[in-house]
Amino acid sequence: MNRPTDPHKMTQASTPVGTHPGYMPGFGNDFETEALPGALPQGMNSPQKCNYGLYGEQLSGTAFTANPPERTWCYRIRPSVKHSHRYVKIDLPFWKSAPCVDPDVISLGQYRWDPVPHSDEGLTWLTGMRTMTTAGDVNTQVGMASHIYLVTESMVDEYFFSADSELLVVPQEGRLRFATEMGIIDLEPKEIAIIPRGLLYRVEVLEGPARGFVCENYGQKFELPGRGPIGANCMANPRDFKAPVAAFEDREVPSTVTIKWCGQFHITKIGHSPLDVVAWHGNYTPYKYDLNTYCPVGAILFDHPDPSIFTVLTAPSGQPGTANIDFVLFRERWMVMEDTFRPPWYHKNIMSELMGNIYGQYDAKPQGFIPGGMSLHNMMIPHGPDKEAFEKASNSNLGPDKLENTMSFMFETRFPQHLTGFAATEAPLQDDYIDCWSDIEKKFDGTPGKK
Ligand SMILES: [Fe+2]
């Protein structure tokens, strides 16, 4: 297996697409990897002639002048200009981009959905994407969209990239293979993957049907959150992020490339596989992460910290401390706080919160928020525990208690989220969700000391 860059040492990868993937550990490292020996130039980026007759090409994920710049040098069978021809606009009617404000849809409220069911229709990564909410503006590269994917069929000689966005993929059911220009990522529930803006790939079904959640990030890339006084350890550790080793295809076969660009989809026809990068080096890569390696930090004496303490990745917005998107994980953990209302408290939030359940039971909502389901508590909309959760948490004996069989997440954004028509009318919206708070009683009667 290859390792992050050591300028004096380079091991060889040999993982052709279609075989078992290999990965390199580290977050944002300057990796280097080659699928054929000597394919990667050493000591320079642009030799007069590349080994094997390869073409050198840079993929820039940031402006050249960003600090630090994020880019990867690829050495490939054909340059990317050969992987596109004239474009024809196509329609993927269920994949929406912001701004997408439907005048017939009310986004103001508390919403919860059962899992979107699979249908008999064969669906790929592209046709099976169902947008639930959008926020911000894809054209100015701020905000996000949330999607559910329902995938039953592999993409065959069909490739895709998004110029609009980085995709954070959160599987809930089934296993997928992302065969990308930079190598293979296999993904299953309890893992996440990041597919960067501009990276070409094909999605295959390893075990179907596959369902999961996607956060489409229009803005600045996800990064590790600042740890502040927590220090160097716990939360998401850099070594647990895995970038793929180089892998390539040399296949001459009629193929299509679909591109998402400024919220629209276009298709182009080519005569070969574009997954032809034989070697690469750089810090702009896809990667995966095992959520089981996330080490939660919490209160160990009293009170309930803000959920931001469970941030796995954050995408900055340019306003310090105010994320375009935080990806937050609620997983198994011990609760030990004394004289404390332990579940999430009641609140209103300027940030808007979209949650998904990967498996198990969420502590603030023992009923109704089920695996594969989602909820949305939009900007400044009140929410909190239902009556059952409140009464149990207010009256139980507080010993050490482990929350088990639970893994949920939140896409939290500084921008209000707008429901799509699909989310409001076709997805299994729970019309009675708001009733989960209707039984909450007035306890106050003016008696001092009453609890
Ligand atoms: Fe909240």
Side-chain angles (χ1 to χ4, degrees), residues 96 99-108 111 134 418-422 424-425:
K96 304 290 189 186
C100 178
V101 182
D102 186 331
D104 297 325
V105 169
I106 297 176
S107 297
L108 180 70
Y111 293 100
T134 65
H418 295 272
L419 271 61
T420 59
F422 174 81
T425 60

Side-chain angles (χ1 to χ4, degrees), residues 6-323:
D6 174 343
H8 305 293
K9 185 180 179 186
M10 175 77 191
T11 51
Q12 177 191 333
S14 55
T15 311
V17 169
T19 61
H20 189 74
Y23 303 99
M24 301 176 284
F27 188 91
N29 286 5
D30 208 31
F31 296 102
E32 64 178 23
T33 172
E34 57 185 341
L36 294 176
L40 192 68
Q42 294 296 314
M44 64 186 304
N45 293 324
S46 299
Q48 187 176 20
K49 289 190 176 183
C50 296
N51 202 0
Y52 296 100
L54 298 172
Y55 290 85
E57 176 176 313
Q58 183 176 234
L59 174 61
S60 291
T62 61
F64 296 136
T65 47
N67 188 19
E70 296 188 26
R71 55 86 188 94
T72 289
W73 273 95
C74 300
Y75 299 91
R76 58 195 316 158
I77 296 171
R78 293 178 173 93
S80 288
V81 289
K82 292 291 288 181
H83 302 327
S84 70
H85 202 246
R86 295 191 189 284
Y87 295 103
V88 175
K89 197 176 287 186
I90 62 168
D91 194 21
L92 291 174
F94 293 103
W95 191 335
K96 304 290 189 186
S97 294
C100 178
V101 182
D102 186 331
D104 297 325
V105 169
I106 297 176
S107 297
L108 180 70
Q110 301 95 338
Y111 293 100
R112 194 166 66 189
W113 292 267
D114 286 329
V116 179
H118 294 282
S119 68
D120 295 334
E121 187 183 4
L123 296 171
T124 68
W125 181 250
L126 299 183
T127 58
M129 199 68 73
R130 301 283 181 268
T131 305
M132 299 293 287
T133 67
T134 65
D137 186 341
V138 72
N139 284 290
T140 53
Q141 300 185 346
V142 294
M144 57 162 275
S146 68
H147 314 282
I148 291 280
Y149 65 80
L150 304 165
V151 180
T152 56
E153 294 186 353
S154 297
M155 297 164 71
V156 178
D157 300 324
E158 183 185 11
Y159 304 88
F160 173 72
F161 76 84
S162 172
D164 285 345
S165 47
E166 158 184 70
L167 298 190
L168 164 60
V169 185
V170 186
Q172 186 262 325
E173 178 184 271
R175 296 174 58 235
L176 295 175
R177 167 164 291 178
F178 293 79
T180 81
E181 288 177 289
M182 292 183 193
I184 303 164
I185 289 179
D186 285 353
L187 200 64
E188 61 186 36
K190 304 178 195 177
E191 297 178 320
I192 60 168
I194 292 280
I195 308 297
R197 187 192 300 260
L199 187 77
L200 260 166
Y201 61 98
R202 174 183 71 224
V203 180
E204 300 170 358
V205 179
L206 298 178
E207 187 181 316
R211 178 173 54 209
F213 313 90
V214 171
C215 180
E216 185 178 2
N217 173 17
Y218 303 145
Q220 196 174 328
K221 288 174 77 267
F222 279 106
E223 57 188 45
L224 293 174
R227 297 166 184 267
I230 292 171
N233 301 298
C234 297
M235 302 175 72
N237 289 302
R239 69 183 289 243
D240 296 318
F241 292 83
K242 313 285 186 185
V245 297
F248 71 96
E249 293 177 336
D250 182 12
R251 288 197 305 128
E252 309 292 315
V253 58
S255 304
T256 62
V257 176
T258 300
I259 300 173
K260 182 176 190 287
W261 197 88
C262 292
Q264 297 179 326
F265 293 88
H266 306 74
I267 197 166
T268 187
K269 294 180 180 177
I270 57 175
H272 47 266
S273 168
L275 305 183
D276 64 353
V277 177
V278 179
W280 59 265
H281 78 87
N283 59 357
Y284 189 69
T285 76
Y287 56 86
K288 66 184 280 186
Y289 173 74
D290 181 352
L291 294 171
N292 282 316
T293 64
Y294 185 80
C295 176
V297 175
I300 54 173
L301 189 57
F302 63 89
D303 268 354
H304 181 109
D306 293 330
S308 48
I309 202 166
F310 297 142
T311 300
V312 181
L313 292 167
T314 185
S317 73
Q319 182 174 329
T322 305

Side-chain angles (χ1 to χ4, degrees), residues 347 349 353 377 383:
H347 75 134
N349 190 356
E353 308 173 0
H377 302 117
H383 56 285

